[in-house]
Amino acid sequence: YISWQKFPVTAAFSGVYDIAAARMDPIDVRFSSPPLGDISVQGAFSLRAPFSLSLGARARVDLGSLQSLFSLAGKAPGRRISLKGFMDGRAQILSGTQVFSIRGDLRLNEASVEDQATMFFLRDIAAEIPVFIMAGDESHAAGESHTGQGYFRAAAFQAGPFITPQPLSLELRGGRNVFHVGPFSLDLFGGRLSFGPASLAFDPQARRFSGLSSLSLDGLDISRIPLNPAQFRLRGEARGDFARVEISPGRIAAQGEGVADIFGGKVIVKDVSIVDPFQKGRAFVLNADLVDLDLKEITDSVPFGEVTGIIRGEIRDLSFSYGQPERFNLRLESVKREGVPQTFS
């Protein structure tokens, strides 16, 4: 339920309709709802075969007022997420018997997004995001393979306790049913998390999307990772190279491996995937090899008594959901090494 007393709406419509031709040209429609924003649409349409529609639209929205509207409607995002700034959009909408397309861009100015519950924020956002969606006979789009360049920049970006506040800058490029993001890097616990060029394609017929990117990690200081409980004292360094990351609505899968030099040996993580990545109950799935780990170093770091010796093993089909392990297969073996006792106390 929304009380429109807080968001009064005014509308104006004008046009000329030719009855004989079954065509309206021009059309001029305007909506205004201070302080929410304004929308204007101009164009023409024909009801006689072949049907055609040609519209140009512009909009300006106050994001803070949009958040208030969601809050009044009882939506959870309105309660949790703070929005500020302005969003401007423009689009050219074409429709006929064989094709439908939307082409334009979205712009953000002096914008910010913040969720205190998850320690996430983007502040001082400036962006220009190109959009080009086409369904139907793509022969009508010959020579229209891209919409041009765009960008997304934030003066400060933080994601939970892991991505500490730092600037974010993305170069964007839009194409027909495809979106490209240029490579970028983030500081992560003394190391560098680097994303390769990414592409995201949308199939308007199937209403599905798919994406492709890559990911690498270098020089991460494991001792700087916040752990719970805090008495876990881990030391070491991690690196990784995932040359191919495939993205779909039901799964994100990474080809490659990550290596952690820890406990006097190595932990090698591979076959990493996220099942249902855009759902609340998403599951993280991976395999791991445990190479020559020193049990004394492990028990010195974790307050569980003292065990000595060297172990090797593997973890297969490890699945985490809601922060808890769901399943895994573990195999461990003790390895004899001269001068290293095998004890348990």
Side-chain angles (χ1 to χ4, degrees), residues 10 80 110 195-196 203 237:
T10 60
R80 297 180 55 223
E110 301 177 353
F195 297 83
D203 183 343
E237 186 174 287

Side-chain angles (χ1 to χ4, degrees), residues 108 110-113 120-128 151-158 165-171 186:
L108 296 171
E110 301 177 353
S112 67
V113 182
F120 171 89
F121 64 71
L122 287 161
R123 294 173 179 163
D124 297 328
I125 301 170
E128 182 174 334
Y151 60 87
F152 184 99
R153 301 187 182 103
F157 165 57
Q158 175 173 314
Q166 57 192 282
L168 178 65
S169 180
L170 307 178
E171 298 303 319
L186 296 169

Side-chain angles (χ1 to χ4, degrees), residues 90 105-108 126-130 149-153 172 179:
R90 59 180 182 178
D105 58 58
L106 295 173
R107 300 185 181 191
L108 296 171
E128 182 174 334
I129 304 171
Q149 304 296 318
Y151 60 87
F152 184 99
R153 301 187 182 103
L172 310 177
F179 194 73

Side-chain angles (χ1 to χ4, degrees), residues 21 127 317 338:
D317 197 27
E338 186 176 353

Side-chain angles (χ1 to χ4, degrees), residues 304-321:
F304 294 144
E306 181 176 278
V307 182
T308 62
I310 304 298
I311 60 169
R312 295 174 186 165
E314 62 182 26
I315 304 173
R316 293 294 180 261
D317 197 27
L318 173 60
S319 176
F320 273 86
S321 184

Side-chain angles (χ1 to χ4, degrees), residues 188-191 217 219-227 232-239 259-263 265 267:
L188 182 65
F189 301 128
L217 175 66
L220 183 145
D221 184 350
I222 294 174
S223 68
R224 298 173 61 174
I225 299 175
L227 297 175
F232 286 11
R233 301 179 301 277
L234 303 185
R235 295 180 299 276
E237 186 174 287
R239 59 194 180 278
V259 180
D261 297 316
I262 192 171
F263 304 133
V267 176

